[in-house]
Amino acid sequence: MNIITGLGNVAGAALTGNKKVRKLSFTGSTAVGRMVAKPQQKDWCPSRWS
């Protein structure tokens, strides 16, 4: 586990754009989550919670 701090748009873009990052979890507002997720949504696979 790695903990990375920073602005959502900067740190999020770097992490979601890196193919080596397989999973990502963050804390913050819904608005920031949407901003981080938007550019990479086309590459995401749906997940299931059991």
Side-chain angles (χ1 to χ4, degrees):
M1 174 169 70
N2 294 312
I3 298 173
I4 300 170
T5 61
L7 299 175
N9 59 343
V10 177
L15 291 169
T16 58
N18 188 330
K19 296 294 183 186
K20 291 182 180 180
V21 176
R22 295 181 359 175
K23 291 185 180 184
L24 177 64
S25 176
F26 70 96
T27 59
S29 68
T30 302
V32 171
R34 288 184 178 138
M35 181 175 51
V36 167
K38 188 78 169 171
Q40 302 301 324
Q41 283 180 335
K42 62 181 174 26
D43 296 330
W44 289 6
C45 297
S47 62
R48 288 191 161 173
W49 296 91
S50 31

